[in-house]
Amino acid sequence: MTEQILPAWSEPFTAERRLTLGRQDVPIASIDRDMAFGGADGSGMTVAIIDSGVEGNHPAVGGKLVRSVRVDLGPDSADVVDDDPTTDVVGHGTACAGIIHSLAPAADLVSIRVLGPDNRGKGAAFAAGLEWAIQQGASVVNLSLSSKSDSLFGTFHELADMAYFANVLLVSAANNVPGPSYPSLFAAVVSVASHDIADPWTWFYNPSPPVEFGAYGLDVNVAWRDGGRVVATGNSFAAPHITGLIARILGKHPGLTPFQLKTVLHAVADNAVPP
């Protein structure tokens, strides 16, 4: 049997390492999941998905795609224009949307397409799409992509801070391969890597960042383009699990700041209190 290898930054969340994450003996341990999101479904929240597009008529999306745009790069500009709401040029964005919808079924979804058919895109398009999502006042933004461009480090740092101070939480997948990528390494975002427990309601807090949380990301059955489904592995699929949980928390406690949301996620993580 071929051994499955988790993406980069996932090491703290593998079976043999989970006991080293430590127990967080702090007052917030009194917060439980019922208080955090019991009975919530993401109502009133808008989740932006910056990716390859979202197939809005896919059954896994549940008809909750309310807007689709794409970023068109010109020689000196990046324009955000309306896009076909049935278009996902890869399937990757639909996978993320399906995971988010499964956890927060009442949340509205907005697709911002910045990736091409090869699942790659320009950092400038990514930055423009992220800035647009922040300006539109999304509740939370799912970033199952990253930029390795050192020249855009400052741009993404400014955008991460802009989102933080605008109470827009960015959930960013850590890089799938060794090496820095942005904005996942910035403290203002929620950075996510994968664990191997096939349960969307299991997540861990890592007291030794840069990656802060581990969620289900190994051999995940996800929605894909043309109404299909595939089994996929990657931090890309761990991040939307956390995004969906945040949409539920915000649906029950509107107005929580990014700092407060991180605190709640930490307080009710599987390793937050002694078993």
Side-chain angles (χ1 to χ4, degrees), residues 91-169:
H92 193 268
T94 301
C96 295
I99 292 170
I100 294 164
H101 179 68
S102 71
L103 293 166
D108 289 334
L109 306 177
V110 173
S111 170
I112 303 168
R113 179 157 63 97
V114 300
L115 300 178
D118 59 354
N119 212 32
R120 300 174 67 87
K122 297 289 187 180
F126 176 16
L130 178 53
E131 183 174 14
W132 184 87
I134 297 166
Q135 292 173 340
Q136 294 297 307
S139 311
V140 55
V141 183
N142 190 81
L143 306 173
S144 287
L145 73 171
S146 60
S147 173
K148 293 185 283 189
S149 172
D150 288 335
S151 65
L152 289 174
F153 175 96
T155 298
F156 281 107
H157 197 288
E158 289 176 3
L159 288 171
D161 281 351
M162 178 193 298
Y164 188 86
F165 295 122
N167 282 351
V168 177
L169 187 59

Side-chain angles (χ1 to χ4, degrees), residues 64-235:
K64 295 303 292 183
L65 184 68
V66 298
R67 190 171 183 188
S68 293
V69 299
R70 70 175 186 272
V71 177
D72 287 344
L73 281 182
D76 302 304
S77 65
D79 298 318
V80 178
V81 300
D82 286 329
D83 197 20
D84 184 344
T86 66
T87 296
D88 181 345
V89 295
V90 178
H92 193 268
T94 301
C96 295
I99 292 170
I100 294 164
H101 179 68
S102 71
L103 293 166
D108 289 334
L109 306 177
V110 173
S111 170
I112 303 168
R113 179 157 63 97
V114 300
L115 300 178
D118 59 354
N119 212 32
R120 300 174 67 87
K122 297 289 187 180
F126 176 16
L130 178 53
E131 183 174 14
W132 184 87
I134 297 166
Q135 292 173 340
Q136 294 297 307
S139 311
V140 55
V141 183
N142 190 81
L143 306 173
S144 287
L145 73 171
S146 60
S147 173
K148 293 185 283 189
S149 172
D150 288 335
S151 65
L152 289 174
F153 175 96
T155 298
F156 281 107
H157 197 288
E158 289 176 3
L159 288 171
D161 281 351
M162 178 193 298
Y164 188 86
F165 295 122
N167 282 351
V168 177
L169 187 59
L170 308 184
V171 180
S172 183
N175 201 352
N176 278 325
V177 296
S181 64
Y182 317 112
S184 70
L185 293 182
F186 300 143
V189 312
V190 171
S191 55
V192 187
S194 302
H195 68 56
D196 54 352
I197 301 171
D199 178 12
W201 301 101
T202 295
W203 74 94
F204 300 96
Y205 169 72
N206 178 22
S208 302
V211 68
E212 293 176 303
F213 294 94
Y216 179 31
L218 179 67
D219 292 336
V220 187
N221 187 299
V222 297
W224 210 250
R225 65 181 299 182
D226 299 326
R229 300 192 70 90
V230 300
V231 175
T233 289
N235 295 337

